[in-house]
Every structure is written in C-alpha cells, then in structure tokens.
Amino acid sequence: MAVTKEEVAEAIYEIVKEYQGKKKFKASDLTKAMIQKYGEAEVDKKLCKAAIRILMDSGRCVYTYFGGSFIELPPEEGVER
Amino acid sequence: MAEPGKNGTPMLDELEKGPWPSFVTQIKEAAEKNKMSKALLSLLERSYHERIGHWKHGGIVGVMGYGGGVIGRYSDLPEEYPDIAHFHTLRVNMPTGWFYTSDALRTICDIWERHGSGLTNMHGSTGDIILLGTTTDELEPTFAELTANDFDLGGSGSDMRTPSACVGPARCEWACYDTLALAYDLTQTFQDELHRPAFPYKFKFKCAGCPNDCVASIARADMSIIGTWRDEIQIDQKEVKAAEEAGLNIQRDVCNLCPTKCIEWDGKKLEIDDENCVKCMHCINTMPKALRPGKDRGATILLGAKAPIVEGALLSSVLVPFTKIEPPYEELKDMVERIWDFWSEHGKNRERVGELMQRVGLGNFLEAIEVEPTPEMLAHPRENPYVFYEEYYEEGDEEEEEEEE
Ligand code: SF4
Ligand code: SF4
C-alpha cells in the first residue's frame, strides 16, 4: 500500500515534536529521515514537500530562522533563541 | 521621548542638509500621521547619540503556511518605545521588471498605511517591495489584503529569493530573450522553494536581457541568466557614418576600446571579426543606432555570485556558454533542480552554491549536476602543470609508458 502525504506529515510531526528544544531540523533532514523510514520506493522528495506543506498550512509546524531555516513547533511570541 | 520637529532630533536633522533626498525627511513626513514612524524617529536619534542599534532579530514571525517573506524585528527597549516594540519587515514580490500602474502603487501604500508604519523601501537589493515596520498582529491582515489585491510575499531566509529581471523586451531593444517571461515562469514553477525554505542558504535568480546586465546578476545572483547572441553583430553602415558625422571619434572611442580589438574602421566601412568578439556591448552602447546584437539570440547561464556576507564576494562563473531561452524552459529548470539537489545534499549550513562549487572543485560539481565541461568555463589558465587528467589516458597507456621507461 502506498504511503500517503498525510501519513508522512504525521511521521514528520512526531520527529519534530520529540526533538523540540533539543535538535533543529531542516526540511532536507526530515526528507532524508522519511526516505530512510519508508524506503525510496514509497517516499520521494515531492511527497515530503507536500507533507511539510500540510504541516505548515495547518499551523502545526512553523519555519524558524537561525542562520538557516528550520521546521519547528510554533514558538512563543518574541522569545529570543 | 524626543519630539521630532521641535529640534528633538538634532543629529538626524543633520542628515537633511545638502541637495540630496533624505530618508529623515521621509520619516518625518510619515511621522505626522503615523505613531510608529514617530517613535522610530526618536529611537533612531537615540541610537545616533548612543552609537548603538536598538533592534534585535526575532526571527520567528511569519504568516501561516509560509517560511519566508517576513523578517522579525523587535526593539530592545519595548517599555520606552511601545509603538515600535515590534517592527517587522515584509518582503512583497514585485511585479516582474518593476512595472507598476499608479493604481497598484497606491494600493500597496494604502494597505501599508493601514497596517504598518507607512514606510517603504522601493526596492530591496533582491528586488522586492520592502514594507518596513509592523506588529505581529498586523501580519495576517496585511497579507490578506495584499493577496486580495494580487500581491504575494517574496522570499527570505534559506529559500529561493524572489527572481528578478531587467525590463527586457518590454522596453529595451537589446533584450536577447524575454527576461520577464522567464522570471515569471521561474517564480510560478518554484512557488514551494520561494515560500518554504529548504536550502542550506539563499538562492537568487536574476535575468538580464543582454551583457549590459542592468540587474547586476553577475555580481549578485546565484544563477545569472544573461542574454547574448552567437552570430554577427548587426551593422548599419549608413548609421555608422552618421555617428561619425555627428562627432563620434570611431577609432578612438569604439575601436580602441574594444577589449579584443576586433573592430576595424577605415573611414568608410566598419568591420567586426565576430569570432573574437566577447560580447562586452561597448561598441553597441556607443553606437546604438548603427550596431545591434545578432539575430541568433539566447543566453549564457552563470552560477555562483554573491555579495560579501559570510565569506568574500564572488562573481558568477559560466555554466552554459549559450542556450536558447524559450518556454517551457524545461532544460534550464531540470538543471536548476539538479543543482539544488546536490547543494541540499552537500552544502553546509549558510554555504552559498558558489562557495560549494569552490569547495568541491568545478570538476566534481559539473559531474554531479551532469554538465559537460567546456573551455568557456575556465576563469584563467591552470597554475599547476603537474596535474594529469584521467581521460587523457586510454586503457593500456600506462603499461606502454612503463615499457618505454
Ligand atoms: S540588461 Fe540589456 S536588455 Fe536588459 S534592460 Fe539592460 S540593456 Fe536592456
Ligand atoms: S561587443 Fe565588445 S568585444 Fe564585441 S566587437 Fe563590440 S566592443 Fe568588441
């Protein structure tokens, strides 16, 4: 059965949540992690892009900027990192 | 808080002296009807006295779904300057080639007076419309009004920045391809890359219609697409003569200044040895009626320029000496994707693609993005003669050499 973008979004969200405050992930790190998890035959970059878009559009994750751009849970307003 | 206009800003007032336009005058004008601009004047005056900036990077604001387009800025004195405790910048994708109607400009300014400081910067160095200073609460309403009026945010952070283009064929007869169409197509094709930062660092496209490069792509764009031609410069001998009669010293001001000395003028006929022309545009710029670019037009694609932020400045290097630039631009876009793949995989954090190219070496880079090396890519002759290239050796060569020894 093919993996859906919703499933990948959920798996990405779990990683981001688990490591929040401990490790920052770039979109490419998460894409790699997903390809490793599901295998190249099931998941590609396009699917991961669509999954990340779901997380962003729903507001469950946000992009943060700290030298590079990272995907994290929504932070508190104005908190300096 | 210092009161502008009552000599409460003596240091800033100095910047209004002299014949040139002053940003202080502009802020003062905005301050008459906008409290953010008023507070900004006072804080700026204070910064000039104390010789210290009072802004800090928030870096975590944006609009829903987008990772770029908003640059978070906070004052470090929020209690004293509550009106500018937040002073975020919005980058708005400019119309390609910066063509506006006055209606469009009024629309943007009206939106910004309702939601922000009213101050703009037309345009930022990437080319976007820069709206300076608003609060977090106003971001979504501003974005909603902008999109309702067909504007969108541009890029910021580690994403594809808003592609820009010279006015191209819309206003300029020298355009060797449709810069506006290409920049628009790249913008639409790569919406994800523009709004959702997934790269090691920023990536800029600039489309220049001819080697005059009015958008300075060779110095500022990670990918410069510069119009050029591969046949002969078109010459109108009658107009050459007319230029001379109008007072142009063709020998001195055209022939002698041609970098490869490939133009000759005998007083009657102008001749160009096109094989040796390096398309610098000097002669065409000097005699615009008499000379024009050839008819077989396309572009040179270059890679890797950047301004000196993290490391030193780089000019871009030739990647494709000549290619036709025609819709749907598939070849170009496929190459871009291969470059992004390699860069995303191997680029370090905050490493521009030009720096990566230098770090891994042009040979390895070209192999990775599947581009054949050509002589036009060489910036200068090699310095080290003790380098042997694998492809110079056919199979069996080594044994033969050993035997000879
Ligand atoms: S870059 Fe060339 S084509 Fe574009 S506006 Fe300048 S002179 Fe014209
Ligand atoms: S474009 Fe430049 S190199 Fe070519 S003929 Fe004119 S001056 Fe010489």
Side-chain angles (χ1 to χ4, degrees):
Chain A
M1 199 188 74
V3 182
T4 64
K5 56 185 180 186
E6 286 76 16
E7 282 173 63
V8 178
E10 216 42 56
I12 290 178
Y13 183 75
E14 285 309 317
I15 298 184
V16 173
K17 199 170 99 184
E18 190 184 336
Y19 287 93
Q20 178 78 358
K22 294 175 221 146
K23 192 170 178 338
K24 287 174 189 288
F25 295 101
K26 287 190 274 185
S28 54
D29 301 330
L30 294 165
T31 303
K32 263 187 233 163
M34 289 302 109
I35 293 174
Q36 207 167 26
K37 179 176 162 114
Y38 293 104
E40 258 180 68
E42 292 284 330
V43 169
D44 62 4
K45 280 194 320 187
K46 235 170 135 187
L47 190 68
C48 293
K49 253 188 206 175
I52 291 172
R53 198 183 309 166
I54 293 177
L55 293 173
M56 293 300 160
D57 287 346
S58 64
R60 292 175 78 197
C61 287
V62 293
Y63 288 101
T64 60
Y65 188 76
F66 195 79
S69 296
F70 299 92
I71 293 175
E72 297 186 69
L73 301 186
E76 290 159 48
E77 168 74 38
V79 178
E80 257 192 300
R81 305 275 184 89
Chain B
M1 196 162 89
E3 277 293 308
K6 294 177 192 156
N7 205 26
T9 54
M11 292 189 89
L12 289 181
D13 295 350
E14 289 296 312
L15 297 174
E16 292 187 285
K17 295 178 182 165
W20 41 81
S22 164
F23 73 95
V24 173
T25 312
Q26 303 283 314
I27 303 178
K28 280 184 181 172
E29 259 174 47
E32 280 170 22
K33 42 187 177 175
N34 186 295
K35 57 184 183 176
M36 288 187 97
S37 290
K38 194 171 173 190
L40 176 68
L41 268 183
S42 303
L43 184 60
L44 203 55
E45 178 74 19
R46 178 168 173 170
S47 284
Y48 278 34
H49 279 283
E50 296 174 356
R51 299 178 185 216
I52 185 169
H54 283 291
W55 300 112
K56 58 181 186 175
H57 210 308
I60 48 167
V61 282
V63 296
M64 182 85 103
Y66 280 22
V70 181
I71 293 111
R73 201 70 84 216
Y74 298 86
S75 162
D76 65 359
L77 302 166
E79 283 83 30
E80 283 175 74
Y81 298 89
D83 290 331
I84 47 171
H86 300 183
F87 204 76
H88 309 320
T89 294
L90 266 92
R91 288 207 184 130
V92 179
N93 196 331
M94 69 292 190
T96 313
W98 299 283
F99 286 102
Y100 296 92
T101 59
S102 353
D103 264 356
L105 285 171
R106 279 201 190 91
T107 303
I108 295 168
C109 292
D110 288 349
I111 293 173
W112 197 232
E113 281 181 5
R114 280 197 291 282
H115 296 287
S117 72
L119 298 171
T120 64
N121 170 5
M122 307 287 271
H123 299 83
S125 55
T126 302
D128 302 270
I129 303 160
I130 307 286
L131 304 181
L132 292 159
T134 192
T135 60
T136 305
D137 289 346
E138 288 293 345
L139 290 174
E140 289 291 352
T142 315
F143 181 56
E145 272 208 60
L146 286 169
T147 48
N149 285 283
D150 292 334
F151 283 97
D152 192 5
L153 295 189
S156 71
S158 299
D159 63 8
M160 176 185 89
R161 298 299 180 83
T162 316
S164 73
C166 75
V167 292
R171 303 238 4 219
C172 185
E173 59 192 292
W174 290 333
C176 294
Y177 72 95
D178 190 340
T179 51
L180 305 166
L182 177 63
Y184 181 75
D185 190 291
L186 292 172
T187 307
Q188 297 300 338
T189 306
F190 297 124
Q191 278 288 298
D192 239 314
E193 286 74 6
L194 177 63
H195 298 307
R196 300 183 179 86
F199 296 150
Y201 204 16
K202 59 184 123 175
F203 190 96
K204 300 185 181 185
F205 284 106
K206 289 193 193 293
C207 308
C210 80
N212 277 339
D213 194 8
C214 294
V215 280
S217 70
I218 199 157
R220 307 306 288 263
D222 296 274
M223 181 170 277
S224 337
I225 302 145
I226 304 181
T228 188
W229 63 94
R230 58 180 168 185
D231 55 351
E232 294 85 43
I233 291 180
Q234 303 180 62
I235 309 175
D236 182 335
Q237 298 289 353
K238 252 196 258 144
E239 287 293 346
V240 177
K241 196 79 198 140
E244 186 179 52
E245 279 159 13
L248 178 71
N249 184 332
I250 295 178
Q251 186 57 45
R252 188 193 65 197
D253 297 336
V254 181
C255 304
N256 292 359
L257 297 179
C258 167
T260 56
K261 303 284 180 289
C262 67
I263 314 182
E264 281 183 13
W265 168 242
D266 61 7
K268 287 191 203 102
K269 196 171 178 210
L270 188 87
E271 278 187 274
I272 299 178
D273 169 13
D274 286 276
E275 288 269 297
N276 284 309
C277 164
V278 290
K279 322 297 197 266
C280 77
M281 293 292 290
H282 170 70
C283 57
I284 300 175
N285 290 338
T286 317
M287 295 194 287
K289 280 189 170 171
L291 303 178
R292 45 179 51 226
K295 290 180 179 160
D296 185 8
R297 299 176 176 192
T300 301
I301 299 173
L302 302 96
L303 198 72
K306 60 179 275 294
I309 297 180
V310 183
E311 286 184 23
L314 285 175
L315 292 182
S316 50
S317 322
V318 172
L319 198 61
V320 179
F322 184 90
T323 178
K324 287 281 186 189
I325 301 285
E326 283 156 1
Y329 317 108
E330 285 307 330
E331 241 176 82
L332 172 67
K333 289 192 274 197
D334 284 350
M335 187 171 73
V336 167
E337 299 237 19
R338 291 198 298 275
I339 292 169
W340 284 348
D341 277 349
F342 183 70
W343 179 42
S344 297
E345 180 80 26
H346 299 280
K348 296 187 203 163
N349 207 12
R350 302 197 84 196
E351 183 175 47
R352 295 281 282 270
V353 78
E355 291 160 350
L356 170 70
M357 208 158 76
Q358 283 197 329
R359 181 163 63 80
V360 301
L362 186 61
N364 294 328
F365 185 80
L366 292 176
E367 204 176 321
I369 62 163
E370 298 162 37
V371 170
E372 283 291 314
T374 65
E376 286 90 342
M377 293 171 182
L378 292 183
H380 57 84
R382 66 185 170 135
E383 288 149 352
N384 182 351
Y386 302 105
V387 176
F388 298 97
Y389 294 97
E390 273 169 43
E391 51 269 39
Y392 287 171
Y393 291 93
E394 306 265 313
E395 232 172 272
D397 273 3
E398 261 169 66
E399 288 128 57
E400 276 170 36
E401 267 182 27
E402 275 165 25
E403 278 166 26
E404 279 166 24
E405 275 170 22

